[in-house]
Amino acid sequence: MGKKYKLLGFNGQDSTANVLILSTGKILKINVKELEKSEIADDLDNHEIKSLYRKIYSSFPNVPSVYEIEERNEKSWVVYSFLALLLTIFYTFSNIAAAKPVYIDYLDIIVTPGTFIYPFSFLVIDLLSEFYGFRLARKAIYMSLASNLIIVSLLSISTSLPAIASWDLNDQYNALMSHILSAIFASSLSFLVSELVNSYILCKLKDVTNSRFLALRVFFSTFIASILDSFVFCFIAFYGKLPVNQIVVMMIVQILIKIFFALFNIFPAYGSRYLFNRWVGKTAN
């Protein structure tokens, strides 16, 4: 696809940018901070991106950033890659491990192993949003979703391959893969919706609070995302298969567990920000 937008310049009085829509010739006037987080920025070339960030951090000198005027340094991209990898690991593990129900006698509840791992994906998205902004956090979400779908698709294909006659686990293997695939749509949709909302809320709160109150941002964004994630997954995966009251109970249990992790995640969030500031530099808006 060809280039859709061209950055024409900036208006110093109100910190806005003029962007030309190449297909129509229309000129958009947009705040530079909103431009940085929009899909338009994905279409800008390297020179335009550098000009945009130079304008942002000269217009908003108090906004911390891991950008060094030219571009992010190598350490920053290493951290980004590591966080994106963690997100993929947590999400993929939760999907595959969902095939095994776990009974917790003390609480008299049935959950899956992913129930205690998946909430850490919210922490990862919070860190990506905090350090890199909504646009790059969104890319990590898309990459994790695509990776999971590819892995599950390959596992599905593997069930059609002929097994050796002496292998007695072929039926069990196929049944396990079928169980994993049965909830993949609900899992993918809930992941996509909840993580995007989580990232968007945290970034908006960061703007409103001028990068303060990290604990509030982490907890509130995860709280909302947890409700959405549990609601979407439980009703899509189990509606018509289980009574509604059981689905509601399951949803409430998941939400309560995720809220606990939302509180717990505050502490590693502060620790991660401290380490990021020391190793990479100041955080990005």
Side-chain angles (χ1 to χ4, degrees):
M1 295 180 63
K3 186 174 173 63
K4 299 179 181 179
Y5 304 97
K6 180 176 178 59
L7 179 63
L8 298 179
F10 303 98
N11 304 301
Q13 298 85 354
D14 53 3
S15 298
T16 57
N18 295 321
V19 178
L20 173 66
I21 303 177
L22 296 177
S23 60
T24 64
K26 182 179 179 180
I27 296 178
L28 297 177
K29 185 177 180 181
I30 181 173
N31 182 275
V32 291
K33 293 178 70 178
E34 293 298 323
L35 174 59
E36 186 267 338
K37 297 175 183 177
S38 71
E39 294 183 356
I40 297 176
D42 296 338
D43 189 61
L44 301 180
D45 59 34
N46 290 337
H47 176 73
E48 291 169 328
I49 287 291
K50 291 177 183 179
S51 299
L52 173 61
Y53 280 105
R54 188 176 293 112
K55 177 62 178 178
I56 290 176
Y57 302 121
S58 62
S59 302
F60 303 92
N62 294 326
V63 176
S65 170
V66 295
Y67 274 91
E68 304 289 344
I69 294 300
E70 294 87 4
E71 57 188 60
R72 296 178 188 267
N73 58 45
E74 182 179 355
K75 288 183 179 180
S76 176
W77 289 120
V78 169
V79 174
Y80 178 81
S81 300
F82 175 72
L83 290 174
L85 178 62
L86 275 183
L87 181 64
T88 302
I89 291 172
F90 291 153
Y91 176 47
T92 303
F93 170 81
S94 299
N95 272 343
I96 296 176
K100 179 177 181 178
V102 177
Y103 177 67
I104 302 178
D105 183 65
Y106 178 74
L107 299 175
D108 191 29
I109 59 173
I110 298 176
V111 295
T112 67
T115 303
F116 302 100
I117 298 297
Y118 182 74
F120 287 113
S121 69
F122 293 126
L123 172 62
V124 174
I125 287 298
D126 287 340
L127 296 178
L128 284 167
S129 304
E130 178 74 12
F131 301 153
Y132 300 94
F134 179 64
R135 186 167 64 92
L136 288 177
R138 185 179 61 206
K139 289 181 181 295
I141 293 170
Y142 292 156
M143 287 189 292
S144 296
L145 179 62
S147 299
N148 180 75
L149 292 176
I150 291 172
I151 291 172
V152 172
S153 298
L154 292 175
L155 289 174
S156 176
I157 293 173
S158 71
T159 61
S160 62
L161 299 176
I164 60 175
S166 60
W167 194 49
D168 299 329
L169 300 178
N170 189 57
D171 291 339
Q172 293 91 323
Y173 177 83
N174 291 342
L176 177 63
M177 292 302 105
S178 176
H179 185 74
I180 292 173
L181 289 170
S182 64
I184 192 64
F185 175 73
S187 172
S188 299
L189 184 61
S190 62
F191 172 80
L192 183 63
V193 171
S194 63
E195 297 293 10
L196 287 175
V197 169
N198 182 30
S199 178
Y200 180 81
I201 291 177
L202 187 137
C203 290
K204 283 299 181 182
L205 287 176
K206 187 174 184 180
D207 287 340
V208 171
T209 61
N210 195 24
S211 299
R212 296 178 296 170
F213 310 119
L214 177 62
L216 172 66
R217 288 184 272 127
V218 169
F219 175 77
F220 187 73
S221 62
T222 303
F223 175 76
I224 299 298
S226 298
I227 295 175
L228 281 174
D229 180 76
S230 299
F231 178 83
V232 172
F233 176 77
C234 290
F235 273 92
I236 291 181
F238 300 109
Y239 186 78
K241 301 176 182 178
L242 294 175
V244 174
N245 63 322
Q246 288 188 19
I247 297 176
V248 172
V249 171
M250 183 186 305
M251 183 180 69
I252 292 174
V253 169
Q254 288 193 15
I255 290 174
L256 291 176
I257 292 174
K258 290 170 185 175
I259 289 176
F260 168 79
F261 277 96
L263 291 169
F264 174 82
N265 285 346
I266 291 173
F267 301 102
Y270 273 102
S272 298
R273 187 172 69 171
Y274 171 77
L275 293 175
F276 186 88
N277 287 340
R278 290 202 60 180
W279 194 59
V280 177
K282 293 184 177 180
T283 55
N285 185 50

